[in-house]
Structure formats: structure tokens, C-alpha cells
Amino acid sequence: MSKEMFIVRRLVLIAICASIIIVGKLIFLSIPNIEIVTFFLIIFAIIFSFKEACAIALIYTIVEIFLFTFSEQFYIWTFIVIVTSLVKKVFRENFQLWALYSGFFGLIFGTLSAIPFFLFYEYFSQNLPKETGRLTILAYIINGLPFDAIHMVGNYFIMLFLGKTVYNLFKKLTKQYFFENGD
Amino acid sequence: MLKNKIIVSVFVLVLAVGILVGYKLIKKSQTQEGIKEITVEVVVGEEVKSVTFKTSKTMLGEALIEQKLIKTESSTYGRYVVGVKDLASNDGSFIEVDFEKDGTFWFIYINGTAAEVGIDDYAIKDGDVIRFELQGGNE
């Protein structure tokens, strides 16, 4: 396979993976806080290189902003990919650990989305009393606790039941895509 | 291996239930027991009418329904106010709004700031001032 062909194939792969996440997001839209975006992002971050996984997360973020307007969770998807890339050498292929990891991200999702509000109120707004940021983040987190709990359980079980299967499938398909259907 | 899986899964579920219980406890600790006195102001245009009453209910929605001050309709986001009692007349009639028809709605202020939660999610405190303002429409 020529070098150009290889690059084109990688680009197409990134686009396809991003669209898989978008479709997955739309399918689970009607169930609050059950989502497979985190699941796919973790799987892709394990399989692909850091740059490619980041590209997938960024494409997804941009499409999400177009579909559902800009929201406080815009940075979380890239954040998940970065953290996953850092720990993937430690967790390897232990999907029990990955399930816990995924559940943990579900649990802190509310806290992560509250951080932009906190920063905004604490440092960028002038006419508000000083403790507004802290009170807002606290109210935000407490009110979101039930949803965080659902998110955690959802993320954990999705990764536990599907993790290994989907990981192996993507690994196999990626290998075929690059080396077996060669030009 | 399978045993570990089950133990960890049970732990995750227990943690989730614990969080839900903790949430309920936090919410409960925010409510105030006993008799509370609250004031309801109804604003239509320039006209302001108010009524003060005592209640033992904890949530705003229940207290207002108990006093027959509001009329509600339920939706997927919880109950919302469609009518507020006409305090000018004594026959207990309601000033009703219909957002779909003419774009009017009741805007709720709690102690001077716009309400952040619905009437069933607000725990009343002694001395609260609840203000209903008729807004929207072709004025």
C-alpha cells in the first residue's frame, strides 16, 4: 500500500469512527444519562493512537455542538480521550478495570460539567458576590447526583458486557482494513 | 474471575443506591418543618395584589394548591402553573394563561429573583415572598 493510500484510509477510518459515536448518541438520546459515547471513546482511545482518538473526539464535539447547541460538556469528550491514552498502558486489556474506569467517568460527569460554570462565575463575571461560583457548583453537583448515579451504572455495565467484544471486533476490522484488503 | 465480576458489579449498584439515598437526605435537610408564613403577590400589568398565609406544607406546589391559589397542568418536566387566583374578585376564579394560544405565561419570582426550579421542587422557608407575574402576549 502506498503512503498516500495509507493516510487516506486513516482519515476515512477517523470519520467512520466519529460517525459511529454520533449515531450511538442519537440512538440513546431518549434515555437520560445512558449513553455509549464514553464507551466508544474509551475503546477508540485504546485501539488507535492518541492523535487519531483526539481527532475522533473533536469531530464528535463539533457535531454535538451543531446538533444540540454549545453546552458545558464540550471539553469532556477530549478530556476522556486524553486520560484514557495516559492510563491505557496500565489497564491493558483488563475490561473489569475499564468498566470501573468508565463508571467513574459517569459518576464525575456532573462535576466535570459544573467546572466551566464555576470558572465563569469565579473569574470572569464582575458583578456577582464572591461565593456565587462555589454555591453554584455545589447546587449543580447535588441536583445532578441521581443522574450521575444512573450514568455510572449505565457506563459500568455497558463496558462490562460489551467492552471486550467490541474491542476485539474493532481491532480485527482495523487490521483487515489496513493489511488484508490491501491495494 | 466471574466471582470478582459479580462482587464489583454489586458494589457499583450499592454505590449508586447510596448516592440516591444521600441525595434524598440532602434534599430533606433543605426543607423546613413546622408552620411557615409566606406571601404571594400576583402582578397583572401595573396592578399588584398580595395575600399572606400560614402553611405546614414543605413544598411550594403543595402549599399553593392547599390555599387554592393556583391551577396547574402536568407535563414531562413536572407541574407548571396555568392559572393564578384572581385576588381582586372574591369568587375564587383564576386568571388563566395559554402559551400556545396567545403566548402568555406566569413568571415566578422567589424573594425577588427568578425561580430556578419548578413549584414542586422548591422547599419553602418562613418569610418567603412568591411573586407571580403575568408576562408575554400581545401587549
Side-chain angles (χ1 to χ4, degrees), chain A residues 1-35:
Chain A
M1 199 190 302
S2 67
K3 202 183 167 204
E4 288 79 16
M5 196 61 198
F6 186 77
I7 292 171
V8 169
R9 285 200 173 186
R10 283 226 99 99
L11 284 175
V12 172
L13 185 66
I14 289 170
I16 288 175
C17 289
S19 39
I20 288 172
I21 298 180
I22 294 156
V23 172
K25 166 83 180 178
L26 293 175
I27 289 172
F28 282 90
L29 207 55
S30 53
I31 316 171
N33 280 27
I34 303 291
E35 44 100 4

Side-chain angles (χ1 to χ4, degrees), chain B residues 56-72:
Chain B
S56 59
K57 300 274 191 226
T58 50
M59 302 317 262
L60 179 61
E62 295 165 4
L64 293 171
I65 293 286
E66 182 195 43
Q67 296 290 323
K68 295 197 174 60
L69 278 170
I70 55 163
K71 220 168 143 178
T72 58

Side-chain angles (χ1 to χ4, degrees), chain A residues 123-136:
Chain A
Y123 299 107
F124 299 112
S125 61
Q126 259 109 54
N127 305 321
L128 290 167
K130 235 191 145 2
E131 66 275 18
T132 310
R134 259 155 280 169
L135 289 177
T136 309

Side-chain angles (χ1 to χ4, degrees), chain A residues 43-58:
Chain A
I43 297 281
F44 292 156
I46 303 171
I47 295 175
F48 302 133
S49 72
F50 174 67
K51 267 190 206 161
E52 284 160 340
C54 267
I56 294 170
L58 286 173

Side-chain angles (χ1 to χ4, degrees), chain B residues 16 24 37 72 134:
Chain B
K24 286 264 178 234
E37 192 176 84
T72 58
L134 185 66

Side-chain angles (χ1 to χ4, degrees), chain A:
Chain A
M1 199 190 302
S2 67
K3 202 183 167 204
E4 288 79 16
M5 196 61 198
F6 186 77
I7 292 171
V8 169
R9 285 200 173 186
R10 283 226 99 99
L11 284 175
V12 172
L13 185 66
I14 289 170
I16 288 175
C17 289
S19 39
I20 288 172
I21 298 180
I22 294 156
V23 172
K25 166 83 180 178
L26 293 175
I27 289 172
F28 282 90
L29 207 55
S30 53
I31 316 171
N33 280 27
I34 303 291
E35 44 100 4
I36 52 174
V37 178
T38 314
F39 168 74
F40 274 127
L41 282 177
I42 292 173
I43 297 281
F44 292 156
I46 303 171
I47 295 175
F48 302 133
S49 72
F50 174 67
K51 267 190 206 161
E52 284 160 340
C54 267
I56 294 170
L58 286 173
I59 293 171
Y60 172 70
T61 307
I62 292 165
V63 175
E64 193 191 55
I65 291 170
F66 281 143
L67 285 178
F68 312 107
T69 74
F70 189 80
S71 71
E72 60 274 19
Q73 21 173 300
F74 70 97
Y75 76 100
I76 299 178
W77 311 118
T78 320
F79 180 72
I80 289 176
V81 166
I82 293 170
V83 178
T84 309
S85 303
L86 288 175
V87 298
K88 71 179 175 188
K89 292 244 158 53
V90 185
F91 286 15
R92 289 164 195 279
E93 295 188 0
N94 185 341
F95 278 88
Q96 176 72 65
L97 280 180
W98 282 121
L100 277 175
Y101 172 85
S102 177
F104 173 72
F105 259 110
L107 183 60
I108 62 165
F109 197 87
T111 314
L112 289 177
S113 6
I115 288 173
F117 278 111
F118 174 70
L119 293 174
F120 176 76
Y121 286 129
E122 203 75 357
Y123 299 107
F124 299 112
S125 61
Q126 259 109 54
N127 305 321
L128 290 167
K130 235 191 145 2
E131 66 275 18
T132 310
R134 259 155 280 169
L135 289 177
T136 309
I137 195 173
L138 201 68
Y140 193 113
I141 293 169
I142 290 172
N143 279 317
L145 277 179
F147 293 102
D148 284 339
I150 298 169
H151 202 166
M152 173 181 74
V153 174
N155 273 8
Y156 173 80
F157 281 106
I158 289 171
M159 184 57 92
L160 190 69
F161 290 133
L162 299 177
K164 206 169 179 78
T165 322
V166 175
Y167 170 77
N168 287 334
L169 180 70
F170 269 96
K171 218 173 154 188
K172 202 179 103 197
L173 288 175
T174 316
K175 214 168 154 191
Q176 268 180 17
Y177 178 69
F178 282 116
F179 302 110
E180 283 168 31
N181 310 338
D183 54 346

